[in-house]
Amino acid sequence: MVVPPKHIRHARKRLFIALISGACFVVCLLLAALWVVPYIGLDNIHPSAKWILGALVVVLGGMVCVAYWGLFLNIVLKRPLPGSRRFRGLTVKLFLPLMVLIGRMLGIEKKSILLSFISVNNELVLAEAERYDPDRVLLLMPHCLQSSRCSKRLTYDVNNCKRCGECPIAGLLDIHDRYGVHLAIATGGTIARRIVVQLRPKLIIAVACQRDLASGIQDTYPLPVFGVLNERPHGPCLDTTVALDRVEEALQRFLNEDALAGVEGPRGSAIGTGQAVNL
């Protein structure tokens, strides 16, 4: 299993659980307000109106709490539970925006919230994902991994890379060759969505900064996205890099046994049927 260092992982989990608990509490308060506020005037409509509305609030509040505890147990137990994909969907679509809002009110940096979200999303993906053929897996990379001094255009054809070793693209192409998975470079969300529509993968292993990863996870749901953070020694969006061993470890976790057995053969042997993207 591909995970960050233990102390970082635990810190991110604690932050995520604290914020999602706050988000659940806020939702329940809002639902309760829907009952309490109009309670005064509902008797004028019908004597039973307030109890009907109260029952509706209880049902909706119960659904939110079930979703929260399902997500909580999924995170803590690190194994798939019934409806785990729906729990991930609630995290992506409902809880994350609330967590960001509550975090701002508490003075917590958005960066920390997004990192905690990505860390938990990865564990949920690991818990629910199956193993796939290489041609159903996409390695999606940001264009900032390419050296700023390189004149080759890789966004539309990653095979234009001359593999000079000046940036991580050469290493990623080696991984692409060994395992036969798809490899693509995107300059932004529009190109990334086009690639996904064209290839229709079952799983994406994406490399980006925390902001772009969180956005990509939201945009592609319910397609599972396992995020790997890039490293930015020169600042954002300029000559970034990535730990290739982390990408390969994640890939090994999601590929089926036949694909992994093929890697044990000669380095130059053909494995799988995935191709680099040509748009």
Side-chain angles (χ1 to χ4, degrees), residues 45-64:
I45 301 175
H46 190 278
S48 301
K50 59 179 177 289
W51 300 113
I52 294 173
L53 181 59
L56 179 61
V57 169
V58 170
V59 171
L60 293 176
M63 292 172 63
V64 171

Side-chain angles (χ1 to χ4, degrees), residues 158-213:
V158 73
N159 291 303
N160 287 333
C161 177
K162 298 303 181 183
R163 306 198 188 203
C164 64
E166 292 295 323
C167 69
I169 303 300
L172 291 166
L173 280 166
D174 288 342
I175 292 175
H176 154 69
D177 291 342
R178 287 204 301 277
Y179 294 93
V181 295
H182 296 290
L183 173 64
I185 296 176
T187 55
T190 301
I191 296 295
R193 284 188 289 270
R194 187 189 305 172
I195 292 168
V196 172
V197 170
Q198 177 188 5
L199 295 178
R200 304 181 68 84
K202 292 292 187 181
L203 174 86
I204 298 174
I205 298 176
V207 173
C209 62
Q210 68 273 2
R211 183 192 64 183
D212 290 346
L213 275 179

Side-chain angles (χ1 to χ4, degrees), residues 9-23 68 71-72 75 87-88 90-92 95-96 99 108 112-121 124:
R9 186 169 71 253
H10 286 174
R12 291 177 181 174
K13 280 186 181 180
R14 286 193 294 268
L15 175 60
F16 184 90
I17 290 172
L19 288 174
I20 202 172
S21 299
Y68 163 72
L71 180 60
F72 179 89
I75 294 169
F87 298 149
R88 185 167 62 86
L90 285 169
T91 305
V92 170
F95 287 125
L96 178 60
M99 287 163 54
I108 301 174
S112 300
I113 299 172
L114 294 180
L115 286 174
S116 70
F117 165 70
I118 294 166
S119 179
V120 169
N121 170 80
L124 294 176

Side-chain angles (χ1 to χ4, degrees), residues 35-279:
W35 178 40
V36 173
V37 173
Y39 176 87
I40 301 173
L42 287 176
D43 280 334
N44 297 326
I45 301 175
H46 190 278
S48 301
K50 59 179 177 289
W51 300 113
I52 294 173
L53 181 59
L56 179 61
V57 169
V58 170
V59 171
L60 293 176
M63 292 172 63
V64 171
C65 291
V66 168
Y68 163 72
W69 282 108
L71 180 60
F72 179 89
L73 292 174
N74 211 338
I75 294 169
V76 173
L77 298 178
K78 298 182 181 179
R79 61 186 181 189
L81 298 174
S84 60
R85 180 166 296 183
R86 293 181 180 177
F87 298 149
R88 185 167 62 86
L90 285 169
T91 305
V92 170
K93 299 297 184 181
L94 174 63
F95 287 125
L96 178 60
L98 286 172
M99 287 163 54
V100 172
L101 179 61
I102 293 172
R104 284 179 179 175
M105 295 170 59
L106 298 177
I108 301 174
E109 288 186 353
K110 186 176 181 180
K111 175 182 176 180
S112 300
I113 299 172
L114 294 180
L115 286 174
S116 70
F117 165 70
I118 294 166
S119 179
V120 169
N121 170 80
N122 283 353
E123 294 202 8
L124 294 176
V125 170
L126 285 168
E128 75 176 52
E130 305 169 1
R131 290 188 176 269
Y132 306 97
D133 292 332
D135 62 344
R136 305 318 301 267
V137 178
L138 169 63
L139 299 180
L140 188 57
M141 303 294 134
H143 74 285
C144 57
L145 287 178
Q146 182 182 3
S147 172
S148 59
R149 298 177 297 276
C150 181
S151 61
K152 300 298 180 181
R153 190 173 187 181
L154 305 184
T155 304
Y156 294 95
D157 187 354
V158 73
N159 291 303
N160 287 333
C161 177
K162 298 303 181 183
R163 306 198 188 203
C164 64
E166 292 295 323
C167 69
I169 303 300
L172 291 166
L173 280 166
D174 288 342
I175 292 175
H176 154 69
D177 291 342
R178 287 204 301 277
Y179 294 93
V181 295
H182 296 290
L183 173 64
I185 296 176
T187 55
T190 301
I191 296 295
R193 284 188 289 270
R194 187 189 305 172
I195 292 168
V196 172
V197 170
Q198 177 188 5
L199 295 178
R200 304 181 68 84
K202 292 292 187 181
L203 174 86
I204 298 174
I205 298 176
V207 173
C209 62
Q210 68 273 2
R211 183 192 64 183
D212 290 346
L213 275 179
S215 176
I217 290 168
Q218 288 180 299
D219 288 345
T220 57
Y221 178 82
L223 186 64
V225 177
F226 185 92
V228 179
L229 288 170
N230 61 4
E231 300 169 6
R232 300 178 288 176
H234 305 287
C237 302
L238 178 65
D239 293 336
T240 62
T241 185
V242 64
L244 296 177
D245 57 339
R246 289 203 64 204
V247 175
E248 190 162 6
E249 286 172 11
L251 195 55
Q252 291 173 349
R253 164 58 183 83
F254 294 112
L255 288 180
N256 60 34
E257 296 299 327
D258 291 339
L260 295 177
V263 178
E264 297 175 0
R267 186 180 180 88
S269 61
I271 304 170
T273 58
Q275 297 180 354
V277 177
N278 299 300
L279 293 179

